[in-house]
Amino acid sequence: MARIQKKGNSGAAKNYITRTRAVKKLQISLPDFRRLCIFKGIYPREPRKKKKVSKGSTAATTFYYTKDIQYLLHEPLLAKFREHKAVAKKIARALGRGEAGDAARLEKNLVPKVKLDHIIKERYPTFVDALRDLDDALSMLFLFANLPSSDYVPAKTISLCQRLCHEFEHYVIVSHSLRKSFLSIKGIYYQATIQGQDILWLVPYRFVQRTGGDIDFRIMGTFVEFYTTLLGFVNYRLYTSIGLVYPPKFNAKMDEQGGELSAFQLEGRSLITNGTATKSDTPAVINPEAQAIADKIAAQPDAEEEEETAVAPVEAIEDENTEGIDKFEVTAPDADVLPQPEASSAEVASLFAPFTFFLSREVPRAPLEFILKAFGCKRVGWDGSLGDGAFTMNESDPFITHQIVDRPSISTDAPDVPETGKGSATAPKAQWPRSTMPGRTYVQPQWVWDCLNQGKLLRPDLYAPGAELPPHLSPWVKPKAGEYDPTRALQEQELEGEAEAAEDEDEDEEAAEASDEEMGGAEHDTDGLLNRESSVEAGEGMDVADSDDDDSEDSEDSEGDAKDAADEWDGFDSDAESDISEGEAARLQHQRELEAEATGKKLEPQVETTKSKNTAIRKKAEKKRKQEQEERERQKMMLSNKKRKLLKRIEYGTNKRDVEAENLRKKRRRVEKAKAAAEAV
């Protein structure tokens, strides 16, 4: 006879374990359990049949896989946590006795140090696995690098995050791995392609961060502790793969003066950085592919040598960058769209190489410096108030070809700045743009991001200071058929008859507003008349007429009104003519021709108003759409009930998308109309 199985000892009830039982099994505290799960990558699980797992209970319970908890029993970190707990008891006992010196000695000598090296190797068996999991790590570390120090976030952690992030940015600059970037409300998105893996991370803007009290920094600090170890391993592997020494030399004094990226000096075999050739102490055996990349980087001309060479004109450089790329044009409207060839990585990497940029003090220096250097620019200067490490801090340097500004343009007819007097040593400095340098291109910061995303140099006049900028769109979202595309002209996206219908609506609205104003004026006059009549007392200034006179006056008024109405009616208006069918319109035209031939008069051409044209086009488009809708309904009748419901859901989504696109086109049409009216004034 088979053994009777007890309930809850097999199946789903055995595969899951509650958090309380897991903590008791591991014999650690709940904070240590959470920390250990974050390090090992173990997360709560939701059973399919929660009632069976919890033995009929419906209370909110957190479950884990039993195998995951069993796997944690052999973790070496458990011993570290228990040692830390024992030392914490000794420190608390010493503080209770008032022995502060003993407590400090215990904390300095006996507190165990937790190392996560073995966990990194367990979770990421290959380097590609670590690169795939680098998105969240970079976003978290860049966030903590911009936070102010507090009791929850110590300055030591912030400094470590900043150092690791700058080291990673240096690798992206040297390897030219950056591909796309986007300015969003949350921050700046970057995407780099490293060893075939696309890595996307978010960098917040450098504002004063206000941390709320509802944030659990202990959990976030645990993630930061793990991610710093991970990024340290990744940076070491990336640096050594291209023949660079890790960690790079760090100049603390320059960093204190705001050097940031310039505070790090890269070293490698025959690698030239900042005009100094340095040799590394790396072993003689190096990957030949990595050595080839390092030699290529070392062969690049130095910044000081490039100062002596003349800068080529911008127009010629733009022609060179776009000369070798062909575009496949569509021969027919229904033909297949061929994929357009893109510029090679070498061309994109040297996008800003021939230029010398100067950053004004109002633009964000850190992201612009990173992007410009990642795309080949070796000469980036900025104002001295932005920090140390600039190529030049002199705004009037003749080698500067582009200056990035973000100030409103000042009208040329502004009054001159008065002199300070005879005793003044220096005259007041002229305001921008009066002090613009000849031959220099002034652009807004968005020009850099748009050039980066499109892989080519765009027209700088569209991004001139004070100009209305083109829409800044996400490079990861491609417009689909039927959706609104802000980069295309409005006429290319409008449906047949949509523009005419919009014009008719605008005219009707204007006519309605005009009629409302007239009616308002009439009511005002009527009210005034009534007030005047009511102010006259009975028998004062009034002639009382007989009933016969009143009847005669009423008849004359009615005849006059009828005559005025007859005079006002002079045939059908344009709206009535537009309602006439095409056959009736042709018959009336033929009748006019016969009358003109009989009388010998010349037939005057019928002037068709714009409103009648728009109405005809709109009605034709509506008729066409109605026929298409009827044909679609007839085709639906041949489908089964299941397929008809599926098609209905598809049409619901399509109609929703079309309505949204139409609303956006309507909004853009109003904006363009208002802009045209403002320019006309």
Side-chain angles (χ1 to χ4, degrees), residues 14-33:
K14 187 178 181 181
N15 295 335
Y16 294 92
I17 185 173
T18 63
R19 187 181 65 182
T20 304
R21 291 177 55 196
V23 170
K24 289 182 179 179
K25 193 171 187 178
L26 295 174
Q27 297 181 4
I28 56 177
S29 62
L30 182 59
D32 289 341
F33 175 75

Side-chain angles (χ1 to χ4, degrees), residues 37-54:
C37 289
I38 291 174
F39 288 156
K40 300 291 287 186
I42 295 174
Y43 301 99
R45 307 292 178 174
E46 186 68 21
R48 290 186 178 179
K49 298 180 180 179
K50 197 171 182 179
K51 196 172 182 180
K52 287 187 176 181
V53 176
S54 57

Side-chain angles (χ1 to χ4, degrees), residues 590-601:
H590 182 63
Q591 182 67 22
R592 295 192 191 97
E593 292 176 357
L594 292 177
E595 292 177 358
E597 184 179 357
T599 56
K601 296 181 180 179

